[in-house]
Amino acid sequence: MIHLPSDFEKRMQQQLGNDFDSFVRSLDTPSPVSIRINPYKTDKIPDLTRVPWSTTGFYLPARPSFTLDPLFHAGVYYVQEPSSMFVEQVLKQHSERETGRRILDLCAAPGGKSTHILSLIGATDLLVSNEVIRQRSQILAENVSKWGQPNNIVTCNDPSAFGKLKSFFDIILIDAPCSGEGLFRRDAKAMDEWSVDNTRLCTQRQQRIIADVWDSLSDNGILIYSTCTYNPGENEDNLQWISQNYDVEFLSLEIPAEWGIHEIRKGECVGYSFMPHRTQGEGFFLSAIRKRGSELRANPFKDKRPVYSLADKKYRSEAASWLSQSDEYTLIQKEDTLYLFPEEMLPVLNTLNKILYPIKTGTSVSEVKAKNLLPTHELALSSFLNKAAFPTLEVDLETALHYLRRDEIKPHTSKNGLNLLTYEGYSFGWIKNLGNRSNNLYPKEWRIRMEIPNKNDREIK
Ligand code: SAM
């Protein structure tokens, strides 16, 4: 049986009353496993039970080794805890403006909610995915690169940097660092690190983060605040702190009773709580809050010498031939790199670039080397890649896994030069075919470190 910290147990007994025993029993059942499929890469609907609050979320009957599935590395799906997929309901129920939204995911690594938001927004919207911890921001950039959408930039900034972008974002998601009580069942470390003092520190840090970015939310904009804890100090008490400090309106969500989500009301504050004895998912809390006011959203800064501009004409047509056609996205350039990016958002990108530290911009498509264009790895993962523009090599599972380890693979094709690798039709990387051998161009930092088990010992799906 799970051994809970005694102060936590006492508090939960008070919070849950008669429900406490079934809550504790649920912590001894396995965590559900779920994935979200990438609607831009596949229209195949898996024959699996749906996560009720997400159109692309599905429960798996058991946990496979995702590392050993090339489709995972190709960004065909993302492995995400089911309760977290509830963010979808806020966008569906409360974000009616369909185009031109600027969205900030402030605490975004490893990228669960960012890849989800990218599945829900349109080509004229822009998602800024930020992560303050540098190493985690690299993982975030890797995961959103695999998702393959150009209407995204990744930044690595402290929340305080966003205060300079007054009234800039239409939606800000703060998926706050928290005491992690909702993850105790699957993460022993979260339980080891738990203490009453630590929950208090989390509350203070969350308030600081909210205060840091508040000015960058435009009037009428929506703050989505979420945690994976049951601690009222980090949840409903923080909502109350928001209502005492800012002019806000809490947004209600329509939720069928059978979803098992618990609505928490405290004064005018409204939040939604997921508990493992009521929903098939981990502990999670979310609230959607509208900022009241009538000021207009800020325009991007006027910039006489923008860092990003439309791509040089001499490279445009070749790079464009590598992409499927799109009216909303265009090729832009910074120094020797060409990117696919939403055209309307170019001034926004230049403004953000002045204030923030972007580590990834849209989809990088190609680099100019000695006046020649070279495709980038991100292009291989883009949902706008025109596969017909390159010699393609469809590989079997064994070869795909060796490629992902950066082992040398035999090309088996007569076309020398750059070859695009596909697995079950999904592209996931390049090799340089040198005839009887090849160079593996998979990014070093992304390579899988696992030994590849013998065929008979391997279970993927
Ligand atoms: N939204 C992510 C997802 O869905 O995959 C999970 C985010 S996790 C709950 C919280 C994130 O906040 C972590 O990546 C952590 O590094 C980051 N973080 C930690 N301290 C922070 C701080 N002081 N300000 C902003 N973010 C912080």
Side-chain angles (χ1 to χ4, degrees):
M1 217 170 104
I2 192 160
H3 188 72
L4 298 167
S6 66
D7 284 334
F8 171 73
E9 207 169 272
K10 271 189 228 140
R11 200 198 74 218
M12 290 308 284
Q13 262 165 348
Q14 274 177 2
Q15 268 176 253
L16 292 176
N18 292 341
D19 262 9
F20 178 74
D21 287 342
S22 51
F23 166 69
V24 174
R25 273 197 304 275
S26 73
L27 298 184
D28 275 323
T29 60
S31 293
V33 182
S34 53
I35 58 168
R36 240 184 331 91
I37 55 168
N38 186 340
Y40 295 107
K41 294 206 174 180
T42 182
D43 49 13
K44 283 188 206 147
I45 303 296
D47 185 17
L48 294 165
T49 310
R50 281 178 178 278
V51 174
W53 42 88
S54 168
T55 43
T56 47
F58 296 88
Y59 291 103
L60 299 186
R63 190 174 195 89
S65 169
F66 293 112
T67 309
L68 296 179
D69 185 2
L71 298 186
F72 171 63
H73 301 278
V76 180
Y77 64 87
Y78 188 90
V79 184
Q80 189 183 24
E81 187 286 305
S83 308
S84 302
M85 299 180 194
F86 188 59
V87 169
E88 179 167 335
Q89 292 303 318
V90 183
L91 292 186
K92 288 240 160 92
Q93 296 188 33
H94 286 290
S95 175
E96 271 121 26
R97 198 146 64 90
E98 277 173 15
T99 58
R101 285 172 295 184
R102 300 177 203 155
I103 303 172
L104 168 63
D105 182 1
L106 182 69
C107 312
K113 294 183 189 66
S114 273
T115 52
H116 194 181
I117 292 169
L118 286 168
S119 302
L120 297 166
I121 63 176
T124 56
D125 299 311
L126 178 71
L127 173 68
V128 178
S129 305
N130 178 69
E131 168 59 43
V132 64
I133 297 175
R134 182 167 288 266
Q135 203 185 359
R136 288 178 62 80
S137 71
Q138 296 297 337
I139 297 166
L140 170 65
E142 174 181 338
N143 285 332
V144 291
S145 295
K146 289 174 179 169
W147 211 244
Q149 287 306 108
N151 51 344
N152 181 216
I153 71 171
V154 176
T155 55
C156 178
N157 280 92
D158 186 84
S160 55
F162 290 86
K164 292 186 196 134
L165 291 158
K166 298 250 181 299
S167 300
F168 204 78
F169 293 102
D170 302 289
I171 299 176
I172 298 181
L173 166 62
I174 301 180
D175 188 29
C178 71
S179 58
E181 295 172 0
L183 305 179
F184 280 1
R185 150 165 86 167
R186 64 164 205 210
D187 184 358
K189 193 164 159 254
M191 199 148 68
D192 290 346
E193 286 173 2
W194 188 92
S195 70
V196 174
D197 279 351
N198 194 30
T199 60
R200 291 201 187 108
L201 286 177
C202 286
T203 303
Q204 288 164 8
R205 181 167 57 182
Q206 288 147 357
Q207 293 178 359
R208 224 172 30 240
I209 293 174
I210 297 165
D212 274 346
V213 294
W214 187 256
D215 284 351
S216 68
L217 182 63
S218 67
D219 284 354
N220 271 315
I222 299 175
L223 170 70
I224 307 173
Y225 176 76
S226 63
T227 70
C228 53
T229 188
Y230 312 113
N231 174 25
E234 298 171 70
N235 294 343
E236 53 267 39
D237 294 356
N238 263 347
L239 300 187
Q240 222 166 16
W241 178 87
I242 292 173
S243 73
Q244 283 158 1
N245 284 281
Y246 306 108
D247 188 9
V248 294
E249 170 199 5
F250 287 83
L251 303 177
S252 293
L253 296 168
E254 270 179 42
I255 297 168
E258 62 271 22
W259 289 3
I261 300 164
H262 180 57
E263 186 178 272
I264 297 183
R265 282 188 177 264
K266 190 165 183 181
E268 57 163 335
C269 308
V270 187
Y272 296 89
S273 159
F274 289 66
M275 306 216 69
H277 60 293
R278 299 202 196 107
T279 50
Q280 231 196 314
E282 304 303 356
F284 184 63
F285 176 86
L286 178 145
S287 176
I289 305 149
R290 194 183 294 283
K291 180 176 187 176
R292 285 206 185 104
S294 52
E295 233 177 76
L296 292 178
R297 186 180 69 170
N299 288 325
F301 304 154
K302 290 228 159 56
D303 199 343
K304 284 201 183 113
R305 280 211 248 139
V307 172
Y308 292 89
S309 47
L310 291 178
D312 196 322
K313 270 197 187 122
K314 62 178 178 273
Y315 301 123
R316 287 181 76 89
S317 62
E318 185 181 0
S321 72
W322 299 348
L323 298 160
S324 56
Q325 257 209 314
S326 142
D327 292 337
E328 286 106 345
Y329 292 120
T330 194
L331 283 163
I332 62 167
Q333 186 168 354
K334 178 188 169 194
E335 294 157 7
D336 283 342
T337 309
L338 271 66
Y339 305 85
L340 192 64
F341 197 72
E343 181 152 12
E344 297 282 310
M345 289 289 175
L346 188 52
V348 172
L349 170 65
N350 280 312
T351 294
L352 295 174
N353 196 60
K354 280 199 174 318
I355 290 178
L356 304 174
Y357 181 63
I359 58 165
K360 171 177 149 52
T361 302
T363 301
S364 87
V365 171
S366 61
E367 269 158 26
V368 183
K369 290 239 165 89
K371 296 199 180 149
N372 291 319
L373 279 188
L374 293 180
T376 61
H377 185 69
E378 267 185 46
L379 176 66
L381 295 161
S382 168
S383 45
F384 288 87
L385 167 70
N386 171 21
K387 283 191 224 147
F390 299 96
T392 298
L393 181 61
E394 167 73 17
V395 294
D396 62 11
L397 178 60
E398 206 74 18
T399 313
L401 292 176
H402 279 290
Y403 173 74
L404 292 165
R405 267 176 55 84
R406 283 195 109 238
D407 297 338
E408 191 187 322
I409 63 163
K410 284 241 154 30
H412 303 295
T413 163
S414 55
K415 297 243 167 71
N416 277 6
L418 216 53
N419 281 210
L420 181 70
L421 290 203
T422 61
Y423 174 74
E424 295 186 3
Y426 298 102
S427 55
F428 67 111
W430 305 102
I431 56 163
K432 189 165 185 192
N433 184 358
L434 304 166
N436 51 358
R437 60 180 195 88
S438 70
N439 286 343
N440 186 329
L441 302 180
Y442 197 64
K444 267 195 205 88
E445 327 72 66
W446 293 13
R447 77 183 172 89
I448 61 176
R449 281 148 220 272
M450 242 170 123
E451 282 306 315
I452 301 188
N454 182 304
K455 245 183 208 163
N456 302 330
D457 301 340
R458 199 189 308 128
E459 190 209 328
I460 285 183
K461 282 183 208 141

